[in-house]
Amino acid sequence: MSITLYSTLLALWSLMLGVWMILSFILFFVSPSIQKRLRSISYGHAIGLIALVASGAVIATLIYQFYYLVPVCSLCWWQRIFLFPIAIVAVVSSWKNIRENTIIITVLAFLGLLFSSYHSVLQLMKIFERDRWMITICDASGVSCSEYGDVLIFWFMTIPFMGLVLFG
């Protein structure tokens, strides 16, 4: 599978996840029946879903790095610092049914959300150059995940943006 197809599939998955989260949030406050249904979801199912999504994201990031050889910028590393423990804690919490770890997962997700928000804003700041819009470099260290056109899908969906949806 090419990196373009892989990135497109991940981008579509991220968009579907983001739309589902936004609709769930809105409908939670608008519809009493949806609110009742969302509140009836058991802890085991919720933490299992978090474990599945976080583990899938960890595998996806490792595929980008080791299979497609996309270098990891320092801001992407910071996002991974918060993502990888979420996957481990969620899997263990799901397996052992430990409820106290939701605070840890929430704090890690919030910190990851801050880094991915900052990273996405840096990447999506556009500069006009020679009659086309260019995404700016996201990192001062020289390694930039924005230099790879194959991971820019739908003109706005980048790896940090996928992280923003995931942490959200």
Side-chain angles (χ1 to χ4, degrees), residues 79-95:
Q79 291 175 58
R80 287 179 175 204
I81 287 170
F82 299 110
L83 173 63
F84 288 18
I86 289 174
I88 294 167
V89 170
V91 167
V92 171
S93 295
S94 177
W95 180 40

Side-chain angles (χ1 to χ4, degrees), residues 3-159:
I3 188 170
T4 305
L5 178 60
Y6 180 72
S7 296
T8 303
L9 291 174
L10 282 179
L12 287 172
W13 177 80
S14 296
L15 283 175
M16 288 188 301
L17 180 65
V19 167
W20 177 78
M21 288 187 320
I22 290 169
L23 285 176
S24 296
F25 184 76
I26 292 170
L27 290 174
F28 181 81
F29 293 106
V30 173
S31 172
S33 63
I34 297 292
Q35 187 177 27
K36 184 178 178 183
R37 182 176 290 161
L38 287 174
R39 286 183 186 222
S40 70
I41 296 173
S42 71
Y43 172 79
H45 288 102
I47 199 73
L49 181 63
I50 292 169
L52 182 69
V53 170
S55 299
V58 166
I59 292 168
T61 61
L62 294 175
I63 288 172
Y64 266 127
Q65 181 181 2
F66 294 112
Y67 184 75
Y68 293 113
L69 304 175
V70 175
V72 183
C73 72
S74 63
L75 291 172
C76 287
W77 273 115
W78 277 103
Q79 291 175 58
R80 287 179 175 204
I81 287 170
F82 299 110
L83 173 63
F84 288 18
I86 289 174
I88 294 167
V89 170
V91 167
V92 171
S93 295
S94 177
W95 180 40
K96 294 289 190 178
N97 200 20
I98 303 170
R99 290 183 169 269
E100 293 79 19
N101 287 340
T102 55
I103 295 170
I104 296 169
I105 293 171
T106 304
V107 169
L108 289 171
F110 178 74
L111 294 171
L113 182 66
L114 290 177
F115 275 95
S116 62
S117 298
Y118 176 69
H119 196 179
S120 294
V121 166
L122 281 182
Q123 270 200 337
L124 294 176
M125 284 192 305
K126 298 179 189 261
I127 55 173
F128 190 76
E129 181 180 302
R130 295 187 186 175
D131 299 328
R132 63 184 181 152
W133 292 94
M134 301 285 292
I135 289 184
T136 58
I137 295 177
C138 63
D139 188 20
S141 69
V143 175
S144 174
C145 55
S146 65
E147 292 176 356
Y148 290 85
D150 295 327
V151 296
L152 175 63
I153 306 298
F154 309 131
W155 300 282
F156 72 94
M157 187 66 92
T158 59
I159 294 172

